[in-house]
Every structure is written in structure tokens, then in C-alpha cells.
Amino acid sequence: MVVAASVVVAVGTATGMISALEEEGGLDEARPEVTHSPRLQSLPVRPPVSASPSASPSATPSPTKKKRAASPTPSPTRTEPERRTAAVSTRLYRHPESQVLDWVRENTGDPRHGVIQSRIAAQPAAVWFADFTPENITARVRAVTSGGAGLGRVPVVVAYAIPDRDCGGASQGGAPDLDAYDDWIDRFAAGLGSGDVIVVLEPDSVALADCLSAGQRADRFASLARAGRVLKEANPRARVYYDAGHSGWHAPAKQAGWLKQAGAASPASSDGIFSNVSNFHTTADESAYDRQVLDALGGPASLGAVIDTSRNGNGAPTDGQWCDPAGRKIGRAPTLSTGEARIDAYLWVKLPGESDGCKGTPGTFSPSYAYDLASS
């Protein structure tokens, strides 16, 4: 099987989502990434939309990205549209700052406004911390977790600063070394508060470890195991999930073997796994794959999985394209009540409308792309 990566793309040091970046003027305010929304009852007539200013001609992915993005041709069941609901979660937290919310506030007269506002901007989403700024990471994480606690809702935060992340690809960056990363995690954990919070720990850090030597992998996995323990010790109500890639990538047994080394089987550091971050595989495929990984992983029966459903409403492209592929749809609404065995949540981790790098600069919001995803 040819493997396919999550293809995490963000602004600056992270690719494919909104980083929680410090606002101008020194404010410790985190900015989230909203990703995914449900299908509503009816759609307005599609307006004539020109390409957004940030859009650019489709870029050809690097050979590395092409190799990681190539995936087998999906079966017909993988391309069937997802069933979606219009309900907005009352339990998950929507942070009040994001690129899509900025666009909605500033473009009330745009004919795409209603669709983007109701189907993307209104939804709760993950908040990414993708820049290595140890001096203010505690305050920025606390701003999100306290905001959720104040409303009695559950925030989703993404720690994304592991050294050598993305194997030097478009999402390269992070801490300079594992000692610095361990310190950053300590500071990150100090901002988690005491309420319910979901932590998506380092997308691609386990599934995309082939580029590391055996020694480097062992060191990374030891640091990830430590990170989970630190996060859960800082806040026993934090739920920490580890990187399982997605259903078109590694075999469940291989992924589970690496996850076990990274601490994902231990309840002291883990509540389970996450999959499909920034990718397009159907919820049904991910649910089946995640249960196979969990079975191979072992550990307590309480371990579960969370799935990024932000752009998987029409399944993965048959040609393996990963960069802003045409014909994709937003998937199921984020929820903590999936009704699926061992599937703890559907989350919006990647923001629909934020470019992977082909419809605009990586991580920038493209209203035309967002509208295409929400109205397909």
C-alpha cells in the first residue's frame, strides 16, 4: 500500500490550520482553527464567485508530499456522501477568534456569507498551538481553556511543536530539540486548567516517523510518552489522544506498535488515538481503522478514538491528491456523542477553507474554497 500523510498545513511554522498566534500589541490571545461543518436543509443559488485574493494556481506537491499523499483508489462505499446533521454542539467550545470568523465579520455583504457563517464559522473547532513560543504558551493555552470552562463547554487544543515535525516538509518547524520540547510541554500543561479539555497531541508525530532513524524515533516516542503523563498530571480531566495517521496509511499493527512505544496504551498518559487530521477519508473507514488500531494497541478498554471529520464528507480523492483537492465536502458536525463503539468524538481539527497551499498561501483562509466545501 502506498501511504498517505495527514498533510498538516499552517501559517508560518505550521501548515494547514490556524496556529494560536500572539495578537499584535502583546495580547496573549489564542486564535483557533475551525474545521468542518454540517449540511443544512437547503442551499441558496450558487453566486458567481471569483477567486479570492489569496487564491493561487494549483501548486504541484513536492515528491515527498506526492508519495505520502498517494492512496489506493477508494471503493464505492468510501465515496458515498456522509450523512450530516445541522446541529451545533452545545458541549464543545467555539473559541471566538479565527480567520473564518474574521472574514464573516468583515464581509457581511458577500453572497457567500450565509453559507460560510452557518456551516463553518458557527461550529466549534480545535485551537492550534503551532509556534514555538515558550515565554507565553501557558497564558495562551489558559485563555482557551478558561474560555471553555466559563461557558461550561469542552475546548479542543492541539499541541504541535515536536522537533523535526513533518520530516522537513511544508509544516516543518517546532522546538529546536527534545529538551526544549519537554519544557514547552510543561508550560503548555500549566495552561490546561482543571476543567474538561481534549488535547490532540502532535499530528503526524507517530505516523510520520519513518523519516527518523531508529534512535531518533525512540527518543521522540519517549518524549511523547512523557508529554502525555505531564498533561494528565497537570489536569486529570484532560483527555489526551495520540497520532494514528489515517485509514489509507500504515497497517493497524504497525501503527499500534509505534503508538505503544509513544505511551498511547497507558492510561497514565493517554485516552486513546486520533485519526484523519487534515485528510479526507470517510468516517466509516476511520472508525473501522481506529478500532483495529485500538485492538492491536491493547491497553484498557476505556481507550477510544477521535476523528477529524472536517473535510471528509465525500471521501478521499481517488487520485490521492492531498492539496486542496476539488470535489471534497465538509463532513459530520463535531460532537462528543457519536453513538459508535470506542469512537469518543468527531472533531473539526482542520478548518475548511484554510488552504493546504494550492488555493492560496498555506494556512490562509480562502472564502471561495470554504464556499465550495460547504455548498458541494
Side-chain angles (χ1 to χ4, degrees):
M1 177 187 296
V2 181
V3 298
S6 313
V7 188
V8 174
V9 183
V11 178
T13 57
T15 155
M17 37 239 32
I18 271 216
S19 301
L21 299 176
E22 184 177 8
E23 293 286 328
E24 291 182 2
L27 296 178
D28 285 326
E29 182 171 328
R31 296 175 59 80
E33 173 201 11
V34 179
T35 57
H36 169 134
S37 73
R39 189 166 189 82
L40 302 186
Q41 298 91 324
S42 61
L43 288 167
V45 176
R46 184 180 180 86
V49 179
S50 58
S52 68
S54 64
S56 63
S58 291
T60 301
S62 67
T64 300
K65 287 288 187 183
K66 274 189 173 180
K67 182 177 180 182
R68 291 194 289 117
S71 59
T73 301
S75 65
T77 57
R78 292 189 179 185
T79 57
E80 290 178 358
E82 292 276 344
R83 291 181 298 102
R84 287 169 286 174
T85 101
V88 173
S89 172
T90 57
R91 295 185 60 201
L92 288 165
Y93 176 57
R94 187 194 73 161
H95 191 61
E97 295 294 334
S98 71
Q99 289 187 87
V100 66
L101 287 170
D102 288 347
W103 185 88
V104 164
R105 292 168 187 139
E106 296 166 4
N107 294 275
T108 56
D110 191 290
R112 301 163 293 187
H113 180 275
V115 169
I116 292 174
Q117 192 281 328
S118 63
R119 301 181 186 186
I120 295 177
Q123 302 301 323
V127 182
W128 287 70
F129 296 86
D131 54 331
F132 181 70
T133 53
E135 67 278 1
N136 62 17
I137 188 64
T138 301
R140 291 163 54 212
V141 173
R142 185 180 293 123
V144 176
T145 57
S146 62
L151 295 175
R153 297 184 181 180
V154 182
V156 180
V157 294
V158 182
Y160 190 57
I162 199 79
D164 300 315
R165 69 182 184 207
D166 198 33
C167 292
S171 299
Q172 61 185 301
D177 54 50
L178 287 174
D179 286 341
Y181 178 73
D182 291 347
D183 177 67
W184 185 85
I185 280 290
D186 291 345
R187 296 168 184 247
F188 185 103
L192 289 178
S194 58
D196 293 329
V197 58
I198 292 172
V199 182
V200 175
L201 182 61
E202 299 296 340
D204 284 350
S205 62
V206 178
L208 192 60
D210 275 320
C211 68
L212 303 176
S213 68
Q216 289 171 326
R217 272 199 302 274
D219 289 344
R220 172 182 285 190
F221 293 164
S223 192
L224 287 170
R226 176 192 181 277
R229 292 193 301 271
V230 167
L231 294 167
K232 292 184 73 64
E233 287 170 0
N235 179 358
R237 293 174 67 177
R239 297 185 62 81
V240 179
Y241 294 90
Y242 281 73
D243 171 40
H246 59 67
S247 59
W249 204 344
H250 297 304
K254 176 178 180 179
Q255 189 66 33
W258 280 357
L259 282 162
K260 186 172 293 188
Q261 294 177 51
S266 169
S269 55
S270 170
D271 292 277
I273 60 176
F274 64 83
S275 72
N276 210 41
V277 168
S278 296
N279 218 281
F280 307 92
H281 296 270
T282 65
T283 304
D285 284 350
E286 290 305 298
S287 297
Y289 174 75
D290 289 345
R291 283 191 281 266
Q292 289 179 313
V293 172
L294 288 168
D295 287 345
L297 179 63
S302 60
L303 296 181
V306 298
I307 299 169
D308 184 355
T309 57
S310 61
R311 302 186 298 178
N312 73 345
N314 201 29
T318 58
D319 62 1
Q321 177 60 261
W322 62 269
C323 186
D324 302 330
R328 301 312 96 200
K329 297 181 182 180
I330 53 179
R332 298 190 183 192
T335 181
L336 297 176
S337 302
T338 70
E340 294 282 341
R342 304 199 80 176
I343 308 301
D344 295 344
Y346 305 140
L347 302 177
W348 297 359
V349 185
K350 167 70 179 178
L351 173 61
E354 286 193 359
S355 177
D356 296 323
C358 292
K359 292 185 180 294
T361 303
T364 58
F365 180 74
S366 166
S368 61
Y369 183 34
Y371 186 85
D372 286 344
L373 288 165
S375 60
S376 296

